[in-house]
Amino acid sequence: MLSSWEYCGALCRGEIKPGVFCVQPSGPVEIAPDRWLSLYTMVDGRGHDANCGIYGELRADAPDGMVLRSRILVAGGDGTNYSPCGDGVEYFRCAGQAHVFGSQKTGVFAVTYYQHVQKWENGVLQNPGSWHWRQKHGSMLMSGTLRVCMLHLEYDAQADDWRIIEQPHLLAQDGWENSPDAFCEFGPGFSLNHALEPPVPLNDDGTEFLEYLTITAYDDPYAVGGHGTVVPVRYKFDPETRRYRWVQTGKRWRDGNDTLGEVSIVRIPDGSGDFLLSVRQFLGTGDIILARVSDPFVEGIRKVHRYKGSSAPRTLGVRSDGLMRIFINDSDMSPYKHERNPLYEYQIYPDLRLGEPHVVADAVQQKLPWPEPFLDMGRYLEYAPGKEMLCFRAFDRVQIVGNEGSEPLSAEAADLYGVHYLKADF
């Protein structure tokens, strides 16, 4: 049976600094007993997908417990000038979609996030994924600067805080760290983009993890905005350096001519050891794409299940009693014909059939004061036996996509921008 969710309001809300809000959630992750770390992508409300860094909160006792520490973990946006193309032209760093993985057994946690460039144009903070920039600059500015970064942190018991033990750096496969034009065995001419959910553990001691990243050739005719093909990667903990390293890469995959990216992955709870993947389809019909995978590095993806859906982000969740589900928006089903409101939940049966959709969050019912509400990117967590939590992004699209002519938000509406959440018991 699907969960009976209770809306709990905002987990993190309001401005972090003028015009900048925390929206996309990652975690929470218990990095020490009764210490939970949540990361959020910050967004500058003056631009299109203007992700401008990673913000962290350390909470006591529970994922929504008292905030003990909070600060910016990775800076982006204004003031983070860099020249990644080697031509002297400076841009701001667009950084976001953080993921945390690791284990209390190793005592180390890795944080990954994507970065590329953004720049002010006509009073709007634009990035190469926006329609405006693609028309003006083509796709190479995105392709040439889109990469995934990694840093490492640990819990400091004496300070009751986290500390960074390795500064952010470009993620590369073992043996390719010093290559001038390639970051993995595929060689030069590729961009690297994020998954939509964190890696999943491959063993019980937290030393190996599996993730599907988006990796796309510059000359891919079906690539859009850094999306095209996906690939499995294995991370392994090195006890000597106390770092997680990218040690293995599988085959790139797409289904037909699909433009794919932003994979979610969970372990199927039937004892088989298999994985369930959900892959976001860009363009096309926006199908819900599910696949069961036994060995990503040997067999790869063989059988794909497709259902009518949407091109909105979608994430997976699995409960300890075996319930699998997917969270997604769908404008065709929405009573408001809106692309990101409400947020729906489907049960996924063992044969990968979908159940009927159920509304889990609705901005209208929850009286959120936004003309174009986005409730999406759900992050599922069973944080204690039988206790569930779902965080999701909550904001007003009009203020995020660079519509200079739109009315400014009221102070009340802006204060509710952030990450909202639901809880349930089963």
Side-chain angles (χ1 to χ4, degrees):
M1 184 174 69
L2 289 174
S3 305
S4 297
W5 293 106
E6 177 187 356
Y7 175 61
C8 299
L11 184 66
C12 178
R13 75 181 200 185
E15 291 183 322
I16 300 303
K17 54 185 181 178
V20 174
F21 307 85
C22 287
V23 287
Q24 293 169 226
S26 180
V29 173
E30 192 175 20
I31 63 170
D34 297 325
R35 291 296 181 264
W36 295 84
L37 176 66
S38 289
L39 300 183
Y40 311 102
T41 295
M42 300 185 297
V43 65
D44 190 315
R46 298 167 291 179
H48 174 86
D49 277 353
N51 292 329
C52 58
I54 312 300
Y55 188 77
E57 287 185 338
L58 184 69
R59 293 178 179 259
D61 303 324
D64 57 347
M66 181 179 69
V67 176
L68 301 174
R69 301 283 188 272
S70 60
R71 61 184 177 274
I72 294 174
L73 187 69
V74 175
D78 289 353
T80 58
N81 301 47
Y82 76 131
S83 180
C85 302
D87 55 6
V89 178
E90 290 194 342
Y91 300 89
F92 299 136
R93 181 172 282 104
C94 183
Q97 196 58 63
H99 296 309
V100 187
F101 68 95
S103 171
Q104 293 183 39
K105 293 180 180 179
T106 66
V108 175
F109 292 83
V111 175
T112 61
Y113 61 93
Y114 80 88
Q115 75 169 22
H116 53 79
V117 300
Q118 54 188 5
K119 196 174 183 68
W120 288 101
E121 289 196 6
N122 300 321
V124 178
L125 192 56
Q126 296 280 0
N127 74 60
S130 69
W131 182 88
H132 171 81
W133 263 31
R134 287 202 304 270
Q135 294 299 307
K136 183 173 182 179
H137 302 288
S139 62
M140 277 306 300
L141 190 57
M142 168 68 89
S143 297
T145 62
L146 180 60
R147 290 286 299 275
V148 173
C149 299
M150 176 182 276
L151 62 89
H152 285 86
L153 57 82
E154 65 181 5
Y155 174 68
D156 183 342
Q158 183 173 359
D160 200 7
D161 197 359
W162 79 80
R163 63 184 176 198
I164 296 176
I165 57 175
E166 184 184 41
Q167 293 297 320
H169 57 279
L170 293 176
L171 179 64
Q173 184 180 354
D174 266 3
W176 297 86
E177 297 89 347
N178 298 318
S179 172
D181 54 8
F183 53 81
C184 72
E185 62 192 56
F186 293 140
F190 287 87
S191 65
L192 189 64
N193 206 353
H194 62 86
L196 201 54
E197 292 195 278
V200 295
L202 290 172
N203 53 27
D204 294 332
D205 60 9
T207 59
E208 293 192 30
F209 286 80
L210 169 68
E211 183 175 39
Y212 272 78
L213 293 173
T214 306
I215 184 167
T216 305
Y218 292 172
D219 58 358
D220 186 336
Y222 304 105
V224 174
H227 306 286
T229 58
V230 299
V231 65
V233 301
R234 184 192 302 267
Y235 301 106
K236 188 172 183 178
F237 182 71
D238 181 349
E240 292 187 4
T241 61
R242 299 187 70 235
R243 304 290 185 266
Y244 286 93
R245 305 177 68 89
W246 172 1
V247 297
Q248 187 177 7
T249 307
K251 295 181 179 179
R252 291 193 295 141
W253 178 81
R254 67 161 21 111
D255 196 32
N257 294 329
D258 280 336
T259 301
L260 301 180
E262 297 187 0
V263 178
S264 300
I265 181 170
V266 294
R267 179 87 71 168
I268 295 176
D270 60 2
S272 67
D274 290 359
F275 303 94
L276 173 65
L277 307 182
S278 169
V279 189
R280 186 177 177 188
Q281 182 193 34
F282 296 80
L283 303 178
T285 58
D287 289 348
I288 294 175
I289 300 176
L290 300 175
R292 182 172 184 140
V293 180
S294 296
D295 189 329
F297 300 100
V298 177
E299 296 179 348
I301 297 174
R302 290 186 173 182
K303 186 174 182 180
V304 174
H305 301 256
R306 304 179 74 114
Y307 304 96
K308 183 180 182 301
S310 77
S311 61
R314 69 287 314 271
T315 57
L316 296 172
V318 61
R319 214 161 66 181
S320 58
D321 67 352
L323 175 68
M324 298 183 294
R325 74 283 289 272
I326 188 169
F327 302 94
I328 191 171
N329 309 96
D330 192 322
S331 58
D332 288 342
M333 288 193 298
S334 168
Y336 322 109
K337 299 303 177 186
H338 195 281
E339 59 181 312
R340 301 290 172 89
N341 184 54
L343 178 61
Y344 293 94
E345 175 185 23
Y346 291 85
Q347 180 172 349
I348 304 173
Y349 292 98
D351 61 1
L352 303 194
R353 290 181 298 113
L354 293 182
E356 293 298 316
H358 292 261
V359 173
V360 296
D362 185 324
V364 175
Q365 293 182 9
Q366 288 145 14
K367 296 182 171 55
L368 297 174
W370 304 323
E372 289 289 333
F374 265 39
L375 306 185
D376 63 359
M377 293 192 178
R379 295 288 188 270
Y380 175 81
L381 173 69
E382 186 180 345
Y383 61 94
K387 294 187 176 296
E388 303 174 280
M389 182 174 181
L390 183 73
C391 305
F392 55 91
R393 182 170 69 166
F395 65 86
D396 182 271
R397 183 178 186 269
V398 170
Q399 302 298 318
I400 298 297
V401 296
N403 287 334
E404 308 95 291
S406 61
E407 291 295 321
L409 283 178
S410 67
E412 175 194 16
D415 187 56
L416 287 173
Y417 262 35
V419 174
H420 293 214
Y421 73 114
L422 312 160
K423 293 179 79 171
D425 295 336
F426 70 90

